[in-house]
Amino acid sequence: MSNFFPRWSNLLPLKLLVCLTVIGCGVVGGIWYYFTPKYTRVGYQPDQPVPFSHAIHVQQLGMDCRYCHSFVEIAGHSNIPNTQTCINCHGQGKIKSDSPRLAPVQESWKTGLPIPWVRIHKLPDYAYFNHAVHVNRGVSCYSCHGAINEMSVVYEAKPLSMAWCLECHRAPENFLRPFSEVFNMNWHPKTFEQQQEMGLKFKQEWNVNPPVTCGGCHR
Amino acid sequence: MSNGTATLESTLLSPAEKQVQRPPLVLNKRTMAWISSYVSTIVESDTPRWWWISIAITSPIALLTPLLLCYLVSTGVGVWGNNSPVAWAWDITNFVFWIGIGHAGTLISAILFLTRQKWRTSINRAAEAMTLFAVVCAGLYPLFHVGRVWKAYFLAPVPNANAIWQNFRSPLLWDVFAVSTYFTVSILFWYTGLIPDLATIRDRCTTKVKKFIYGILALGWRGANRQWRHYEMAYLLLAGLSTPLVLSVHSVVSFDFATSVIPGWHATIFPPYFVAGAIFGGFAMVLTIMLPARALYPQLHDMITPSHIDKMCKVILLTGSIVGYAYLMELFMAWYGANPYERDAFWYRAFGPYWWAYASMMFCNVISPQVFWFKWCRTNVVAVFVVSMFVNAGMWFERFVIIATTLARDFLPSSWGMFHPTWVDIFTFIGTFGIFTTLFLLFVRFLPMICMFEVKAVLPEADPHYGEEH
């Protein structure tokens, strides 16, 4: 029974161990990068029935979010505007009314059927979220939806994972801003120190106390 | 006791010592060569017909569990009978039942090793294998009890996108660590012990394929002096490592109950009582599977002797009595503690609609092992087998009584309820017996069932001092 296994097989376990370690680290790293919301959700940009551009309407025309997302301040849910809102400007004989890009809007206005917008930001049902609570406490749309004003087509800018919610809930001072600037996508504090100083002041004055207990969001 | 070695021993021992002679660990003056060849032949010979028949029966039964678990996952947890208020039911009952069975293996392999109980050598391999298979069956239950089994990794402290960190104050989490450590250490211990024997089998193999497979499994063991030195040290360390596990695993399992504030669970007696119960049930299961194995391979009678069975029966008697004491003490504390809820909980256990489970538990666990006070019962294989079956059933009833009857009476009378198992509950549980026996049959067929080199070491001729103490 001498030398049933050739001499090179002596090193085989070591080689296997090294390979398995490398593969193992690769798999863990891969899952960590590719299987988390930071990768799977951020950048999600579905095709919309109408190529509606926030860059034109918000940045160029200077419209306020609340003109269209009219309940964001007063309701938990931020609505998508109905066709009537668009028709205010794009109605017959007004701005670009016969542009082919606006055809679905005109169609919807005639038939009364809503435009089938594709939903982008969506939390699972077991997580409770409320827009008004955030917007009225100095949290800007910018903190959660990114630079909407520069998007010609909206995409998901933040992972919306639980870790991400908690990142702010544990230290809201990093994000709070004056009420007047909540809907202003172009307002940014000059330095991080300035933000913190201001944030801490607001947190103190307004008694901001976001929930970090499970029941706060999983009710 | 009178056989060939007696002539040598009688010259060395004083008359008093002769009277307290221990029975020999290997009967019929078997030689070292006989041990190797007999144990290896079990693995090497053609597959016996009874083996094919048994595995043809057990493997379809084993398939029930995975199939029904698929059904569970695809349909939803509602296919199990647990529901408010009995949210822990058969799944946890069966988990505790199986994990308890695993304890005999570690006790035999670790504690009896450290305390130099030589009789362990012929049963430790099979008992450890049984431990592993029992832990496999046990592990399935909490895994699927979490509901979304694909999220089970939440139990491990890995950073994740939900920023969820484990609650280290929860005994349920300790359970995860206790059971997984137990499984890992048991498997290491078992495998380390197997290596020299695997090498023996490798050296005896005739076909290339077998040589290759056993050669890999033996990890290049040559039996060199240095390897033996390392081996002994590794084995000793592993034994030291698993000794606390014998006590810790079931203590932690009992914390799942004891740290809650539910009357009937919230008791400090739980950890020792659970550990004793686990060893009790574990030894019963060792006997349940060793007795048939011994009947199928008659020569095993020389290594697994009546004295081995006798000793295991004594362990069962001792631990069974401890368990009985704990049952009575629980009742006493309920009465003496004068807490109306506690009293009510135990009254309900004994005389409520689950009285039959409580009565079965009392009979199987406390009364039936008492027959082992009689030597006749400890040496009669049929009696031993029957009692160990009773104990197996009794230990299942114990867990059922603790879990289901306690939860059935919630604090609010409006939420009292009974537990009724569904067919899925029942067949999943039956399936775990299939898994257990199938794995054990595979073990008997492909691995040396008895630790050859350790049995050889307890032969009289292996003793350099010829029985003389020093």
Side-chain angles (χ1 to χ4, degrees):
Chain A
M1 171 48 223
S2 60
N3 294 341
F4 180 75
F5 292 95
R7 189 165 267 280
W8 57 261
S9 60
N10 281 348
L11 274 181
L12 201 62
L14 192 69
K15 287 178 185 162
L16 277 176
L17 195 72
V18 172
C19 286
L20 286 178
T21 318
V22 171
I23 294 174
C25 293
V27 168
V28 170
I31 289 177
W32 193 40
Y33 187 77
Y34 291 108
F35 285 71
T36 44
K38 274 190 184 129
Y39 183 85
T40 53
R41 292 189 193 154
V42 172
Y44 173 58
Q45 190 178 30
D47 286 334
Q48 298 290 353
V50 181
F52 174 82
S53 162
H54 281 76
I56 294 177
H57 293 84
V58 177
Q59 192 71 346
Q60 287 181 20
L61 302 179
M63 290 175 74
D64 191 292
C65 312
R66 284 164 292 180
Y67 182 89
C68 295
H69 304 293
S70 46
F71 296 120
V72 70
E73 257 182 320
I74 47 177
H77 182 234
S78 168
N79 60 311
I80 298 290
N82 56 12
T83 309
Q84 166 79 66
T85 316
C86 315
I87 292 300
N88 290 349
C89 292
H90 293 295
Q92 217 53 50
K94 296 188 195 153
I95 304 160
K96 296 252 179 180
S97 60
D98 37 48
S99 158
R101 301 212 210 171
L102 281 161
V105 180
Q106 310 296 357
E107 176 75 16
S108 151
W109 183 237
K110 262 185 238 124
T111 58
L113 293 174
I115 306 170
W117 300 109
V118 182
R119 185 159 183 184
I120 304 158
H121 299 82
K122 173 113 180 65
L123 287 183
D125 290 346
Y126 54 77
Y128 171 79
F129 181 78
N130 187 322
H131 271 93
V133 169
H134 290 88
V135 172
N136 294 327
R137 295 296 245 161
V139 183
S140 166
C141 320
Y142 180 85
S143 302
C144 302
H145 294 300
I148 287 278
N149 57 333
E150 288 161 12
M151 297 180 192
S152 39
V153 180
V154 182
Y155 58 85
E156 191 163 328
K158 300 285 156 103
L160 300 199
S161 63
M162 181 168 145
W164 172 81
C165 304
L166 288 173
E167 202 180 301
C168 174
H169 277 212
R170 288 185 178 142
E173 61 273 13
N174 295 343
F175 303 92
L176 296 181
R177 50 170 82 187
F179 291 135
S180 56
E181 308 300 342
V182 165
F183 302 97
N184 182 354
M185 300 288 115
N186 291 316
W187 184 90
H188 301 296
K190 285 192 191 63
T191 61
F192 184 64
E193 284 71 37
Q194 195 190 346
Q195 164 68 50
Q196 276 206 314
E197 193 184 317
M198 179 181 68
L200 282 172
K201 195 177 81 170
F202 294 152
K203 189 178 161 186
Q204 182 84 19
E205 280 172 11
W206 306 337
N207 192 17
V208 173
N209 193 12
V212 284
T213 48
C214 315
C217 306
H218 304 294
R219 338 189 140 184
Chain B
M1 117 114 217
S2 66
N3 54 31
T5 50
T7 44
L8 179 61
E9 281 165 6
S10 52
T11 55
L12 296 166
L13 298 175
S14 67
E17 274 170 317
K18 246 183 273 174
Q19 277 166 14
V20 291
Q21 272 278 340
R22 287 170 189 274
L25 292 166
V26 178
L27 298 181
N28 290 338
K29 290 185 279 166
R30 297 300 190 179
T31 59
M32 297 197 178
W34 181 85
I35 290 172
S36 297
S37 76
Y38 184 67
V39 176
S40 314
T41 317
I42 298 179
V43 179
E44 287 159 357
S45 57
D46 291 340
T47 312
R49 164 129 20 121
W50 65 261
W51 192 88
W52 283 118
I53 297 174
S54 340
I55 201 135
I57 298 171
T58 59
S59 50
I61 299 179
L63 268 182
L64 280 174
T65 301
L67 289 178
L68 287 173
L69 289 177
C70 287
Y71 177 61
L72 172 88
V73 169
S74 56
T75 313
V77 283
V79 302
W80 275 354
N82 20 348
N83 208 333
S84 261
V86 190
W88 284 7
W90 273 32
D91 45 357
I92 303 298
T93 304
N94 299 342
F95 159 65
V96 183
F97 171 72
W98 279 117
I99 198 86
I101 284 175
H103 279 65
T106 355
L107 181 95
I108 293 174
S109 51
I111 296 194
L112 298 189
F113 176 73
L114 292 182
T115 52
R116 300 283 188 269
Q117 294 296 312
K118 288 184 175 165
W119 60 276
R120 74 184 262 287
T121 51
S122 59
I123 49 169
N124 75 331
R125 170 83 39 84
E128 282 172 47
M130 183 209 74
T131 294
L132 293 175
F133 306 149
V135 178
V136 167
C137 296
L140 287 175
Y141 279 104
L143 198 64
F144 282 86
H145 176 84
V146 301
R148 300 181 188 188
V149 62
W150 56 97
K151 300 278 184 189
Y153 70 92
F154 282 173
L155 290 166
V158 287
N160 59 51
N162 290 316
I164 295 173
W165 199 242
Q166 287 59 44
N167 182 358
F168 283 97
R169 283 175 296 182
S170 162
L172 299 182
L173 184 67
W174 309 340
D175 228 18
V176 175
F177 292 117
V179 173
S180 51
T181 316
Y182 186 48
F183 187 67
T184 319
V185 173
S186 302
I187 218 166
L188 280 177
F189 200 32
W190 180 67
Y191 194 77
T192 311
L194 262 172
I195 291 173
D197 279 356
L198 286 170
T200 307
I201 302 236
R202 172 200 63 194
D203 294 349
R204 296 168 51 101
C205 276
T206 42
T207 65
K208 269 218 140 97
V209 181
K210 280 191 185 170
K211 245 191 169 71
F212 180 75
I213 295 172
Y214 285 108
I216 287 187
L217 291 177
L219 302 180
W221 178 266
R222 278 172 289 117
N225 191 9
R226 209 154 69 110
Q227 289 186 335
W228 276 112
R229 280 219 329 268
H230 289 313
Y231 170 85
E232 299 281 351
M233 185 46 74
Y235 202 72
L236 187 68
L237 288 178
L238 282 171
L241 208 59
S242 23
T243 299
L245 288 179
V246 180
L247 304 176
S248 71
V249 178
H250 230 54
S251 299
V252 170
V253 170
S254 78
F255 291 161
D256 292 348
F257 306 99
T259 57
S260 72
V261 290
I262 296 181
W265 284 5
H266 187 64
T268 44
I269 198 173
F270 262 42
Y273 146 38
F274 266 53
V275 171
I279 293 167
F280 177 58
F283 269 91
M285 192 53 105
V286 172
L287 284 170
T288 313
I289 57 172
M290 290 305 265
L291 293 179
R294 194 166 164 268
L296 288 163
Y297 291 107
Q299 266 105 328
L300 289 183
H301 285 247
D302 291 343
M303 284 175 281
I304 305 170
T305 66
S307 140
H308 285 89
I309 296 173
D310 177 72
K311 287 182 174 109
M312 288 194 264
C313 291
K314 284 177 182 161
V315 175
I316 290 187
L317 177 59
L318 171 71
T319 47
S321 306
I322 298 179
V323 167
Y325 169 80
Y327 294 160
L328 298 181
M329 195 41 76
E330 270 189 325
L331 294 178
F332 172 75
M333 290 311 281
W335 168 75
Y336 190 66
N339 175 335
Y341 303 102
E342 193 81 13
R343 279 184 180 177
D344 187 64
F346 280 94
W347 184 264
Y348 178 74
R349 263 191 201 176
F351 302 110
Y354 286 113
W355 65 270
W356 48 271
Y358 193 78
S360 313
M361 169 188 98
M362 277 295 190
F363 175 76
C364 296
N365 287 354
V366 187
I367 299 174
S368 80
Q370 300 305 326
V371 300
F372 285 155
W373 285 108
F374 304 104
K375 180 143 187 152
W376 179 83
C377 293
R378 279 178 277 142
T379 44
N380 181 310
V381 191
V382 178
V384 172
F385 190 74
V386 169
V387 172
S388 57
M389 280 314 227
F390 270 125
V391 174
N392 287 332
M395 285 313 288
W396 187 85
F397 275 116
E398 179 197 297
R399 279 64 179 249
F400 180 75
V401 164
I402 293 177
I403 293 167
T405 70
T406 310
L407 291 175
R409 280 275 170 116
D410 210 331
F411 288 103
L412 283 180
S414 62
S415 37
W416 287 354
M418 290 284 285
F419 169 74
H420 301 285
T422 61
W423 66 273
V424 185
D425 275 315
I426 296 169
F427 285 101
T428 312
F429 183 46
I430 293 176
T432 53
F433 284 98
I435 296 181
F436 182 75
T437 39
T438 306
L439 289 173
F440 199 77
L441 284 169
L442 290 172
F443 162 73
V444 168
R445 186 71 200 96
F446 295 109
L447 292 173
M449 182 173 27
I450 298 225
C451 191
M452 297 183 252
F453 68 95
E454 283 198 20
V455 174
K456 286 188 237 170
V458 301
L459 288 178
E461 52 265 52
D463 184 357
H465 306 291
Y466 299 104
E468 199 178 358
E469 300 287 332
H470 58 131

